[in-house]
Amino acid sequence: MRAAALPSAAGSLLLTVLAAAPAGGAPDVPGTGATAAELRGTLVATARAAAEGIAFGPCADAQDMPGSMQCGTVEVPLDYAHPDGRKIKLTVSRVQATQRDPLNSKRRVPRQGALVFNPGGPGGDGLYFPLTGLLPQWKRLGAAYDLIGYSPRGVGRSAPLSCQDPRQLFKGPSQAPTHPTESYKRERIAQAKAYARGCARRAGSALRHYTSLNNARDLDVLRAALGEHRLTFMGASYGTYFGALYATLFPSHVRRMVFDSAVNPDPEQIWYRNNLRQSAAFEGRWADFREWIARHDKVYGLGDTPEKVLRSYERARARLARKPAGGKVGPGQLQGAFLQAGYYDDYWPHRAHALSAYLKGDPRPLVEQAAPVTEAAAETENADAVYTAIECNDAPWPTDFRVWDRDNTRLARVAPFETWDNAWTNLPCAYWPAPRQQPLDVRTGPGELPPVLILAAERDAATPYDGALELHRRLSGSVLVTERDAGTHGLAGGPNRCVSGHLEAYLLEGRLPARRAACAGHAEPEPRAGGR
């Protein structure tokens, strides 16, 4: 978005790795965290991991796991500058390559090694990724590759990070003003300060070590533990950012890499400006959704123009502010549910139906879709904590709320849908107690990195398209495949056969199109009166 090592073998491996390390692969750049000490620590950790491997066995919740997924752990240093200090264990999952052609079960497919996946976040858990091999669209990849998932540091079972009691997470219906009052801002500032203090109190001195650079180093340790000389990796969303860090730090360790829905890696954009850009992009995607609803007014009755649909939405917001639906869904929960539709257009029929039913007197679909899932409180709190820690640690943030107030007030005039909600999510970074890093300058020169594949949707709001263009510019020899006139976040394994064809050709055969290629957008969802 987790047998005892032989000292002589570990020493031999360490010498091999040191000899093979590229001269420019991990520079000692002051302030970036890419120091010589951390390079040495990474080499020590990868040598140990290569010697020890991963003892895969039944997963802890094996009774709920279909197929043949196995789990194990890999040990990484909490602080790579001190590889003999505190260690943490990352939980890793695997489904081994079937080596059977899904179109001809008698034909044997050569195994190509391990394909490691990260779903993004920060805070996303990729532990269950190997189960995608059961899906038809993943069977060709599952035949050739061991499908590898893992919980990154801080996530799930991998030394989980927490910033508050999960029971505090869902206190009830909440407001989500698009133009907050001064008193509301003061309330959110107090909450942000308290949250930052909670992170420091619960994590202690470990807090500073939850960073994207350490995620990239952990990925190299995982590569070594899997017995892979070179990494085949697919990262989605945030996974593209630390994947790009990996490509910059360890270009000679890369076999193939897929960057699906790319984060803009420009150090000037990490992370404050990226979040402002994201808020602006969600306004465009919200407009796309309203246009779709308006075209299907006969089904939903929410208005035959985007402006009328917006008035219907605002009418629901006002009603929910007075009386939350089911006692659980207020304006904040409504906004959260419709934000999900900005990520994935297959949610559009469900959300449109829920809004329509609510305004016609039936709140049940809206409550079903928007009410907090209290059973997932611990998981959600953990993901939130990791997200906050990594983004706050990775880069400098404005520490004066007047800067946040100025920038978000201006933006909310033209992009009110997500702007302030996004600001409140990230505001703990203004009061963060741990040291900030300077982001690494992601880039590779000609011939340093094998050709890599970037996938991007033109109207993606979560990772706006200019981020894919920037990553493409910075990774020499990369190829960009664009899904035109579409905005779903995350394209791999999706409905676009053109995109899937490029993905499979690259991962299975190493074939790439020209420097840039385009696919027509996938079909929009069909309206459904019942939302299903």
Side-chain angles (χ1 to χ4, degrees), residues 291-303 524-527:
E291 289 173 6
W292 180 86
I293 295 173
R295 288 199 298 273
H296 302 294
D297 184 49
K298 290 183 179 179
V299 177
Y300 300 114
L302 293 169
E524 288 186 338
E526 291 293 325

Side-chain angles (χ1 to χ4, degrees), residues 430-471:
Y431 312 107
W432 197 243
R436 321 301 180 89
Q437 296 184 340
Q438 292 295 326
L440 186 68
D441 187 24
V442 166
R443 67 178 68 247
T444 59
E448 291 180 0
L449 180 72
V452 299
L453 176 63
I454 302 170
L455 307 176
E458 214 168 27
R459 296 188 62 77
D460 185 356
T463 52
Y465 184 66
D466 59 1
L469 295 174
E470 183 68 16
L471 182 63

Side-chain angles (χ1 to χ4, degrees), residues 232-314:
T232 302
F233 174 76
M234 180 160 57
S237 193
Y238 165 72
T240 69
Y241 178 59
F242 79 81
L245 295 179
Y246 184 95
T248 302
L249 292 169
F250 311 109
S252 68
H253 297 184
V254 173
R255 177 178 178 265
R256 291 173 191 162
M257 296 190 94
V258 178
F259 300 90
D260 183 3
S261 304
V263 166
N264 188 329
D266 183 345
E268 294 298 318
Q269 301 297 315
I270 304 295
W271 286 102
Y272 180 72
R273 290 182 178 86
N274 263 340
N275 278 286
L276 290 172
R277 180 71 186 89
Q278 184 186 68
S279 295
F282 268 113
E283 194 68 27
R285 197 61 181 148
W286 172 220
D288 292 345
F289 183 22
R290 298 198 320 269
E291 289 173 6
W292 180 86
I293 295 173
R295 288 199 298 273
H296 302 294
D297 184 49
K298 290 183 179 179
V299 177
Y300 300 114
L302 293 169
D304 58 4
T305 67
E307 294 74 21
K308 291 179 181 177
V309 174
L310 180 59
R311 287 198 290 272
S312 293
Y313 178 82
E314 293 297 341

Side-chain angles (χ1 to χ4, degrees), residues 125-173:
D125 195 341
L127 193 65
Y128 301 108
F129 164 71
L131 297 180
T132 60
L134 299 171
L135 302 175
Q137 61 267 40
W138 288 92
K139 285 189 177 295
R140 290 192 69 202
L141 294 176
Y145 287 97
D146 295 348
L147 300 181
I148 305 294
Y150 72 108
S151 301
R153 63 169 57 204
V155 176
R157 301 190 188 98
S158 298
L161 184 65
S162 174
C163 289
Q164 65 180 136
D165 187 331
R167 291 173 294 183
Q168 298 178 4
L169 197 62
F170 302 130
K171 291 184 177 179

Side-chain angles (χ1 to χ4, degrees), residues 166-167 169-170 328 368 371-382:
R167 291 173 294 183
L169 197 62
F170 302 130
K328 299 177 180 179
E368 289 174 3
V373 181
T374 54
E375 295 82 5
E379 180 181 343
T380 302
E381 191 279 326
N382 171 233

Side-chain angles (χ1 to χ4, degrees), residues 178-180 185 272-273 276 279-280 283 401-420 423:
T178 54
H179 302 288
K185 291 174 186 177
Y272 180 72
R273 290 182 178 86
L276 290 172
S279 295
E283 194 68 27
F401 180 72
R402 288 175 294 185
V403 175
W404 296 68
D405 198 12
R406 178 200 66 202
D407 293 343
N408 287 280
T409 297
R410 288 173 179 172
L411 183 57
R413 293 186 187 120
V414 294
F417 177 67
E418 166 65 358
T419 293
W420 277 109

